[in-house]
Amino acid sequence: MASVTNNKQTPTESDDIDLGKIVGELIDHRKLIIAITTAFTVIAVLYALLATPIYQSTALIQVEQKQGNAILDSLSQMLPDSQPQSAPEIALIQSRMILGKTVDDLNLQAEIEPKYFPIFGRGLARLLGKEPGTISVPRFYLDTGSNDVPSEVTLTILGENNFEIEGEGFSLKGKKGVLLEDKGVSILVDSIDAQPGSQFKITYISRLKAISNLLESLNVADQGKDTGMLNLTFTGDNPTLISQVLSSITQNYLAQNVARQAAQDAKSLEFLNEQLPKVRTDLDAAEDKLNSYRKQKDSVDLTMEAKSVLDQIVNVDNQLNELTFREAEISQLYTKEHPTYKALMEKRQTLQTERNKLNKKVSSMPSTQQEVLRLSRDVESGRAVYLQLLSRQQELNIAKSSAIGNVRIIDNAITEPKPVKPKKILVIALGIIIGLFFSVGFVFVRVFLRRGIESPEQLEEMGINVYASIPVSEWLTKNTNKNKRQKNESDTLLAVENPADLAVEAIRSLRTSLHFAMMESKNNILMISGASPNAGKTFVSTNLAATIAMTGKKVLFIDSDLRKGYVHKMLGSENVKGLSDILSGQAKVESIIERVSGGEFDYIGRGQTPPNPAELLMHPRFKELLSWASQNYELVIVDTPPILAVTDAAIIGQYAGTTLLVARFEANTAKEIAVSIKRFEQTGVVIKGCILNGVMKKASSYYSYGYSNMATHIQIINLNKKLLWPLYGHNNVYFALTS
């Protein structure tokens, strides 16, 4: 007899993406996708409802241009790439100096939170409309021994004016408005607005940690480029507290700015008060020298040429002085490698060159004119410097007396009535999107990892004949308990209980196919095996026996699974004696054979589980049993254990005329079936073909072995009330046989 497998090369899978298959898989797993998406959506809804709302407080500050020297201000306007005024101010607002003072003013080292049930207690209390109690603790200190490790205490309200503090190793009672100091704890509670029994968790953190917490919640942004308008936002779960914190930050920033401006003006004024007398003295000395020289030379006057040269020299000297002020300013902003600084140096070099030229022109003049010109230059230059310093002194006196700084609070801190977090609609939408993402990803992973048989074509491409494709019985699935359904065990003979089921119709088709397949067999013994457990061998063999027996043939069913056979449960047998007793010589065949009511076929159970099943099957009594059964019955069906688990099927196959394998849809792989066939062929057992069991109707793949035709077939049965017999063929074309 020829082998069932042909030397066909398995076609390589295409790398192209089958969009229809992908959509079909999503349709097939729609319940799973809906379930996962619903779960994520429910979690998102619960989070949106139970999450603590986060509020936002805003404030607006204006940083004006600094009121400095008029000369320096005019020079700064000509400077390219000047530094934005708001950049250092933003850094200053976020500094530990400003935030640290806020922490000290509001005692933010003590974090006070009402105690709720973990995770959802706070949100549930808010949904139920329960207002949380509040207490005011202006002073709190806890000696932890380490500033890095936060410590907490629990404050319990005992009454209107009494409370109790519990911590690690201590318990203290105190009164409202009275400072409590004991056992390393210092606390002052000046107000209580909570019911007796309410508990609060007070955590003492380090000053640096408190500043870091403020910095995480504070955001300072420049409203427009170089506008000087700073938008401050502060977020938190306590609307009143965040408004107080932001207001404190803005006030502390304003106060330091005023103090900084006043200190700067005072230092500058002090310097000018020291320099002005010196400059005035130098100016008077220069004027005295000029007057003295003129008297000595009988009032020598400058020529028109000399006056022109003097004006030029004084102008150059003034420009050089201005460049000195300018250099002092930009040296605070840029390095010497900056283009602006280099341009300044180049201009200074140009002015010095010009002054040298003028000095050469002066040297060509008469000595008297040279001296008068030199002395006049000293007087004019000194007078210009003196006037500049005097003007700056007056400006600083005015600035010091006003001391308003260059910062204004435009909008005071105020908390928006609606919370900014969580955005419920966005959270729910994200929950749906994430649920879809995870569910679809999970489906794709399952599909990618699935290597089971999905269509008869997969077996036929390997040269394996498929005699029948048996769909899943929905009726049997509904009427089978959960535990047995997981084990693919049935306690009902489907062919008897529901003969119009699609699975039974497929078995009737198998019956016709077997008629032609067994015509060349050496005997009438049919062995049904499989590659792995739970493939449905017992289901197929028992219902096949019942289906054939209903046609009037004499059928014997033998359960040869001496290890884990469960046919007796399906057929309602007590399994007192069976095949193991026959093979061991403890009972006769006639006493073991039972009649299945409704199925109209005889049955031999496995009996008690023997310690040596393989040895019993190899005993001559088993051959004698099959020979006797072959002579007394028209068909003998032998149910065997899976070949890949034990070798029992290979032993039984030596006596069987026809052998079929049962493969489970999406559970067994084509490679498993090929290995099983090879395992049988190594022992000389020829496999006739395969039965694909448990086929499910899926949108991802078209079931071409008659699933849809079977549905039409059943409708015809119900309409015509006639028995339809399938003829052998791949398309499962059905013909009505009239009586």
Side-chain angles (χ1 to χ4, degrees):
M1 188 178 295
S3 174
V4 69
T5 57
N6 301 327
N7 295 327
K8 294 184 179 181
Q9 186 177 0
T10 303
T12 58
E13 296 183 358
S14 177
D15 295 331
D16 298 335
I17 298 176
D18 191 350
L19 185 60
K21 184 176 179 62
I22 293 176
V23 175
E25 291 289 350
L26 296 179
I27 296 174
D28 293 332
H29 295 84
R30 59 187 180 277
K31 294 182 178 179
L32 178 63
I33 295 174
I34 294 173
I36 296 177
T37 304
T38 303
F40 274 87
T41 305
V42 170
I43 294 173
V45 171
L46 292 176
Y47 175 79
L49 294 176
L50 299 178
T52 302
I54 303 299
Y55 296 89
Q56 178 177 273
S57 182
T58 59
L60 185 63
I61 293 178
Q62 181 186 13
V63 181
E64 299 175 342
Q65 185 73 24
K66 291 184 179 180
Q67 300 296 326
N69 192 337
I71 297 177
L72 297 181
D73 291 341
S74 62
L75 293 174
S76 298
Q77 294 176 1
M78 298 182 291
L79 290 175
D81 301 328
S82 60
Q83 185 181 14
Q85 295 293 324
S86 58
E89 302 301 327
I90 292 175
L92 186 59
I93 294 174
Q94 297 175 337
S95 65
R96 289 194 296 270
M97 178 183 68
I98 303 298
L99 299 182
K101 192 173 187 307
T102 299
V103 170
D104 298 335
D105 295 342
L106 300 179
N107 191 28
L108 297 181
Q109 288 185 252
E111 295 182 343
I112 305 173
E113 295 181 359
K115 295 193 71 175
Y116 297 99
F117 189 82
I119 302 177
F120 58 85
R122 185 172 184 176
L124 187 61
R126 186 181 68 258
L127 292 178
L128 296 177
K130 296 181 179 180
E131 293 292 335
T134 58
I135 58 174
S136 177
V137 184
R139 178 176 178 181
F140 177 72
Y141 174 76
L142 181 61
D143 187 9
T144 61
S146 175
N147 294 328
D148 299 331
V149 181
S151 296
E152 59 183 50
V153 297
T154 300
L155 188 146
T156 305
I157 306 299
L158 301 178
E160 186 177 351
N161 298 315
N162 300 318
F163 61 88
E164 182 182 6
I165 293 181
E166 296 178 354
E168 189 175 354
F170 65 89
S171 178
L172 302 173
K173 292 184 178 180
K175 292 184 178 181
K176 183 180 69 173
V178 179
L179 179 63
L180 177 62
E181 290 184 312
D182 193 8
K183 297 183 179 179
V185 180
S186 178
I187 185 171
L188 174 63
V189 180
D190 59 0
S191 68
I192 297 177
D193 185 12
Q195 297 294 327
S198 302
Q199 290 185 333
F200 296 86
K201 183 179 69 173
I202 306 177
T203 305
Y204 183 79
I205 60 178
S206 64
R207 189 171 184 268
L208 183 60
K209 177 63 176 176
I211 294 174
S212 300
N213 293 340
L214 289 184
L215 195 58
E216 291 176 358
S217 302
L218 177 65
N219 183 37
V220 185
D222 196 355
Q223 192 170 350
K225 185 178 180 181
D226 300 338
T227 59
M229 305 297 291
L230 301 180
N231 190 14
L232 281 71
T233 59
F234 192 84
T235 57
D237 57 356
N238 191 332
T240 304
L241 181 60
I242 63 175
S243 179
Q244 294 175 356
V245 171
L246 188 58
S247 179
S248 177
I249 292 174
T250 56
Q251 293 296 334
N252 291 335
Y253 171 65
L254 178 62
Q256 70 81 30
N257 181 266
V258 173
R260 180 180 60 175
Q261 190 69 34
Q264 182 180 354
D265 294 341
K267 290 291 184 181
S268 300
L269 187 60
E270 181 181 355
F271 176 76
L272 289 179
N273 291 332
E274 294 177 357
Q275 295 296 321
L276 273 174
K278 297 179 181 180
V279 175
R280 182 64 187 178
T281 302
D282 295 338
L283 178 59
D284 294 339
E287 290 178 347
D288 292 341
K289 288 181 181 180
L290 177 61
N291 294 331
S292 176
Y293 185 79
R294 283 180 172 178
K295 288 179 180 180
Q296 184 181 354
K297 300 296 182 180
D298 295 330
S299 185
V300 177
D301 294 328
L302 295 174
T303 62
M304 294 299 293
E305 182 183 0
K307 288 183 179 180
S308 177
V309 172
L310 177 61
D311 293 337
Q312 294 179 22
I313 292 175
V314 172
N315 185 30
V316 171
D317 289 339
N318 289 336
Q319 291 186 36
L320 288 173
N321 291 332
E322 292 175 358
L323 288 179
T324 302
F325 286 111
R326 187 173 175 181
E327 183 181 0
E329 185 183 42
I330 68 173
S331 63
Q332 301 176 2
L333 303 176
Y334 311 110
T335 63
K336 292 184 179 181
E337 301 298 327
H338 196 274
T340 302
Y341 201 98
K342 290 183 177 180
L344 182 67
M345 292 296 100
E346 291 177 359
K347 188 173 183 180
R348 176 188 287 276
Q349 186 66 32
T350 303
L351 291 175
Q352 288 178 351
T353 304
E354 183 68 21
R355 187 172 63 175
N356 292 333
K357 291 180 179 180
L358 293 174
N359 290 332
K360 290 181 180 180
K361 192 178 288 185
V362 171
S363 62
S364 63
M365 295 180 181
S367 60
T368 304
Q369 292 290 323
Q370 291 184 23
E371 186 65 19
V372 174
L373 191 62
R374 184 183 65 81
L375 295 175
S376 298
R377 182 188 64 184
D378 294 340
V379 172
E380 294 295 332
S381 298
R383 185 179 290 116
V385 172
Y386 180 76
L387 291 176
Q388 290 177 1
L389 295 179
L390 188 62
S391 176
R392 179 59 178 162
Q393 184 188 38
Q394 294 174 353
E395 292 175 359
L396 290 176
N397 283 323
I398 297 173
K400 183 181 178 183
S401 61
S402 59
I404 59 174
N406 64 322
V407 172
R408 288 195 305 162
I409 299 177
I410 306 300
D411 294 333
N412 293 318
I414 187 172
T415 302
E416 299 176 4
K418 294 183 178 181
V420 295
K421 295 178 183 180
K423 299 183 182 298
K424 297 182 179 181
I425 298 177
L426 181 60
V427 169
I428 295 174
L430 286 176
I432 296 174
I433 294 173
I434 294 174
L436 287 173
F437 176 79
F438 272 93
S439 59
V440 173
F442 180 72
V443 169
F444 284 161
V445 170
R446 287 187 61 181
V447 172
F448 178 76
L449 296 177
R450 187 175 64 207
R451 292 293 182 264
I453 302 172
E454 298 181 357
S455 65
E457 287 84 353
Q458 293 179 250
L459 296 174
E460 292 184 344
E461 288 174 355
M462 299 175 61
I464 303 174
N465 297 325
V466 180
Y467 279 82
S469 297
I470 303 176
V472 173
S473 175
E474 296 181 359
W475 182 89
L476 187 61
T477 303
K478 294 179 181 179
N479 291 273
T480 306
N481 60 61
K482 186 177 180 181
N483 293 330
K484 291 187 177 181
R485 196 184 308 130
Q486 291 177 350
K487 297 179 180 179
N488 287 330
E489 294 183 1
S490 174
D491 55 359
T492 303
L493 194 59
L494 185 62
V496 177
E497 299 294 334
N498 189 15
D501 195 272
L502 290 179
V504 179
E505 293 297 325
I507 293 176
R508 292 194 181 104
S509 176
L510 174 63
R511 176 190 61 189
T512 305
S513 302
L514 284 176
H515 173 73
F516 298 101
M518 298 181 65
M519 292 179 66
E520 300 179 357
S521 302
K522 62 181 181 180
N523 53 40
N524 59 350
I525 300 175
L526 172 64
M527 184 183 76
I528 297 180
S529 184
S532 62
N534 302 324
K537 302 179 298 296
T538 301
F539 170 80
V540 173
S541 56
T542 53
N543 285 278
L544 179 62
T547 302
I548 297 176
M550 290 178 183
T551 62
K553 292 186 178 183
K554 192 176 181 182
V555 180
L556 175 64
F557 177 83
I558 302 176
D559 183 11
S560 63
D561 190 353
L562 302 180
R563 306 170 191 269
K564 295 183 178 181
Y566 66 94
V567 179
H568 57 279
K569 301 178 182 178
M570 179 185 300
L571 303 181
S573 175
E574 296 181 357
N575 195 36
V576 177
K577 293 183 179 181
L579 180 61
S580 60
D581 299 285
I582 297 175
L583 298 182
S584 61
Q586 299 178 5
K588 298 292 184 180
V589 179
E590 292 79 4
S591 61
I592 301 299
I593 295 178
E594 301 180 20
R595 188 71 173 180
V596 178
S597 59
E600 305 301 329
F601 64 93
D602 293 340
Y603 157 68
I604 298 178
R606 66 174 173 87
Q608 301 298 321
T609 304
N612 54 345
E615 286 77 4
L616 288 179
L617 293 175
M618 294 174 64
H619 199 276
R621 293 192 187 94
F622 185 67
K623 182 179 180 180
E624 296 173 0
L625 172 63
L626 294 180
S627 299
W628 175 85
S630 178
Q631 296 175 2
N632 291 273
Y633 290 89
E634 295 180 68
L635 179 64
V636 180
I637 300 177
V638 184
D639 184 21
T640 66
I643 184 61
L644 297 183
V646 293
T647 58
D648 296 0
I651 300 173
I652 301 172
Q654 303 294 328
Y655 311 110
T658 305
T659 301
L660 296 179
L661 292 181
V662 178
R664 187 77 180 184
F665 182 79
E666 290 187 349
N668 294 121
T669 64
K671 187 176 181 180
E672 283 181 340
I673 302 301
V675 173
S676 300
I677 294 175
K678 187 176 181 181
R679 188 75 56 86
F680 276 112
E681 291 178 346
Q682 290 175 349
T683 59
V685 180
V686 178
I687 304 301
K688 198 69 176 180
C690 187
I691 302 170
L692 188 58
N693 184 37
V695 177
M696 293 180 290
K697 188 176 182 180
K698 302 178 66 178
S700 58
S701 60
Y702 176 71
Y703 176 42
S704 62
Y705 271 67
Y707 195 101
S708 300
N709 293 335
M710 286 182 183
T712 306
H713 180 204
I714 298 301
Q715 294 177 0
I716 296 174
I717 290 177
N718 294 332
L719 291 174
N720 298 329
K721 305 296 182 180
K722 296 180 180 181
L723 182 62
L724 303 181
W725 298 90
L727 296 181
Y728 177 73
H730 289 294
N731 294 324
N732 284 339
V733 181
Y734 296 90
F735 298 90
L737 301 181
T738 56
S739 57

